[in-house]
Amino acid sequence: MEKMKISVFIQKRYQVFDSSGRLPFSIVFGLCRRSSTDTDPRPLVLETAGSVFDVPYALAHGLLTLHIETPESANRWTKVNTSGLVIGETRTTDYITLPSPVDRSKLWRDALTAYLCPLDFADGLAAVLEVGTIYRINLASEDLGVKRWVYGEEHHVKDSAEASSHEQSGTTLIKSNKAGGNATFKVVQDLPWPPIMKIGLRTYVSSPTPDDNPGSPTANGRQLMEVSIVNQGFEPITVQISGQQGFLLPWGPLQPEEDIDTKRTRIIDPALQGPPIASLRVIDTVTRQLVRGDEKIPFSCTLTKPGAVFRPKVEDLITLRPGEPHLKQFDIETVMKGLADGQYRIRLQPRGCSWWAAKIETLIGEDGRMSKQFCGRLKPPLMIESQDELEVRLENGRIDCRT
């Protein structure tokens, strides 16, 4: 039987599997057509039902293997018997579309198609997964278990008359890469979540200063943008607003998602002086194009010196007390500098922050950094985001704003 080769990688969505279900958990697959013999210019559509991409089915039928961490064992990982896994009847069939490699200009790592298979702890998995334990899921072999596929569009594979199966075509889809990664995660009972925050964005005009010359755009004051955040919970929390963040990150097939920025200073940092371009999205109202705020720090894995300390410093933290607004103002002119006359909208760029349910003084050790006992537990971030937006008109150097 002829074999059609596809590169497949497996990963977890998060480092923890929240058994309560509040944080949705998935197994992530990355697929790419890389075979030198694959010369068909059409997309390839796969049906997931009964394949490795249907994770509960794949575990129950040996297409995927589940291992439990056993540090005391020589092999560290011990295979779990999943043959008795009961699969729920509410499973749905999905489809994965893989673009043709013909005329592809990207590197294969940048051309992976990501597919997420959501897992529900209560849907049979509770019988094989134990809270507090670390597990690993691997691809069992080169067999992907894909039963139906078609070259063309998704609606073609839904038509049984057009879709091919390995029995009909004499061709089977297999994994071509030897190392397909793994999905390693820890099962937890639940996760701590930050309190609700009220985050606002508004503009106002400052009072003129003696330095504002008559007739200048600032003669009647400057247009300021104000970001406000109010803790609507019942207890104070400490938030990390600069330095390397350490919250739960969503993963793609090979690494954390690129649009998750864990390094830049957050817009509510009291020490932030310059325009917070990386924390804002400036959109041209006419063209709907993003003209500011698309600068990203790419994910990188760098070597660190032995003994390097990553615990937040006291200046990286602020405490948000219930009901007390934390305010930060910026001159809108610095944000809009260099843009052509026109109409714009300004929004906050969503950013996550590490947080702790305590005041700063109870978290900091003698060395001016957070005590080790409070570091290391991964949890969902506190999100600095808002639905508010500012409307800005720029004309001949003058700025007119509306919230």
Side-chain angles (χ1 to χ4, degrees):
M1 179 175 285
E2 184 180 350
K3 295 181 178 181
M4 184 188 304
K5 296 181 179 180
I6 296 175
S7 291
V8 179
F9 298 86
I10 186 172
Q11 186 61 264
K12 77 282 181 182
R13 184 60 170 168
Y14 292 101
Q15 292 171 271
V16 297
F17 187 167
D18 178 10
S19 64
S20 73
R22 184 172 179 182
L23 180 69
F25 184 79
S26 301
I27 297 298
V28 183
F29 294 94
L31 301 86
C32 185
R33 294 163 61 182
R34 295 177 59 195
S35 174
S36 59
T37 61
D38 188 347
T39 57
D40 197 302
R42 297 171 295 175
L44 179 65
V45 184
L46 318 179
E47 184 179 85
T48 62
S51 72
V52 295
F53 311 113
D54 182 358
V55 174
Y57 177 94
L59 287 172
H61 292 81
L63 294 171
L64 294 174
T65 57
L66 178 68
H67 303 261
I68 186 171
E69 185 182 43
T70 51
E72 69 282 358
S73 171
N75 296 325
R76 188 184 174 190
W77 296 98
T78 302
K79 188 175 180 180
V80 178
N81 183 5
T82 55
S83 60
L85 182 64
V86 178
I87 304 172
E89 297 180 358
T90 58
R91 292 160 50 246
T92 59
T93 297
D94 286 330
Y95 301 91
I96 307 173
T97 300
L98 304 182
S100 170
V102 177
D103 298 327
R104 183 168 62 210
S105 58
K106 295 181 179 180
L107 295 174
W108 68 264
R109 293 174 63 92
D110 300 321
L112 287 175
T113 297
Y115 174 73
L116 277 65
C117 177
L119 297 184
D120 185 349
F121 188 80
D123 188 16
L125 292 174
V128 294
L129 299 180
E130 183 178 346
V131 171
T133 305
I134 297 176
Y135 293 92
R136 172 171 289 179
I137 295 177
N138 294 91
L139 295 161
S141 67
E142 68 175 19
D143 183 14
L144 298 178
V146 177
K147 298 176 177 60
R148 299 177 69 245
W149 69 88
V150 69
Y151 285 107
E153 304 299 332
E154 182 177 311
H155 65 87
H156 294 151
V157 78
K158 293 181 180 179
D159 184 348
S160 58
E162 294 187 43
S164 299
S165 69
H166 62 82
E167 291 89 353
Q168 295 170 338
S169 65
T171 302
T172 183
L173 302 182
I174 65 168
K175 176 175 73 73
S176 62
N177 48 315
K178 293 182 179 179
N182 63 75
T184 302
F185 55 90
K186 182 177 182 179
V187 180
V188 297
Q189 185 69 45
D190 51 27
L191 292 167
W193 292 82
I196 296 175
M197 296 286 143
K198 183 179 181 181
I199 301 173
L201 190 63
R202 76 178 185 100
T203 62
Y204 66 95
V205 179
S206 66
S207 300
T209 68
D211 296 330
D212 294 323
N213 297 320
S216 70
T218 61
N220 296 319
R222 293 180 178 272
Q223 288 277 2
L224 299 182
M225 173 182 65
E226 181 180 81
V227 180
S228 64
I229 179 170
V230 181
N231 177 2
Q232 294 191 303
F234 300 100
E235 301 292 338
I237 66 167
T238 293
V239 178
Q240 183 177 348
I241 38 77
S242 61
Q244 179 66 50
Q245 302 281 342
F247 49 78
L248 280 172
L249 293 172
W251 279 66
L254 299 178
Q255 63 187 29
E257 291 188 344
E258 293 184 359
D259 59 345
I260 304 298
D261 189 345
T262 63
K263 300 178 182 179
R264 285 196 173 107
T265 296
R266 280 15 186 184
I267 197 169
I268 59 174
D269 182 1
L272 187 61
Q273 298 296 329
I277 301 300
S279 295
L280 298 172
R281 295 172 61 85
V282 181
I283 301 167
D284 187 308
T285 305
V286 177
T287 65
R288 299 183 179 180
Q289 290 185 333
L290 182 67
V291 295
R292 290 279 164 84
D294 57 349
E295 303 87 355
K296 297 178 181 178
I297 298 179
F299 174 81
S300 62
C301 183
T302 56
L303 296 176
T304 56
K305 296 181 180 180
V309 179
F310 295 101
R311 291 178 290 120
K313 297 178 290 185
V314 65
E315 56 264 33
D316 295 333
L317 307 168
I318 61 171
T319 293
L320 300 176
R321 293 174 172 79
E324 296 183 12
H326 176 83
L327 307 176
K328 184 68 180 179
Q329 295 85 18
F330 302 95
D331 190 335
I332 291 185
E333 183 179 353
T334 62
V335 177
M336 306 301 293
K337 186 176 181 179
L339 294 180
D341 287 356
Q343 298 271 9
Y344 299 92
R345 296 196 306 271
I346 300 178
R347 301 171 181 167
L348 288 183
Q349 186 89 270
R351 299 292 186 203
C353 300
S354 300
W355 62 278
W356 296 264
K359 298 178 182 178
I360 291 178
E361 51 266 30
T362 64
L363 300 171
I364 299 300
E366 295 181 356
D367 61 352
R369 292 179 178 270
M370 182 170 291
S371 299
K372 292 182 180 179
Q373 67 189 85
F374 300 112
C375 298
R377 185 181 183 187
L378 293 176
K379 50 186 179 287
L382 181 150
M383 295 301 299
I384 306 298
E385 58 185 345
S386 175
Q387 297 300 315
D388 293 349
E389 66 176 31
L390 308 179
E391 294 184 9
V392 180
R393 180 177 178 83
L394 189 61
E395 185 175 4
N396 298 325
R398 295 182 180 274
I399 295 175
D400 181 38
C401 301
R402 290 186 299 169
T403 302

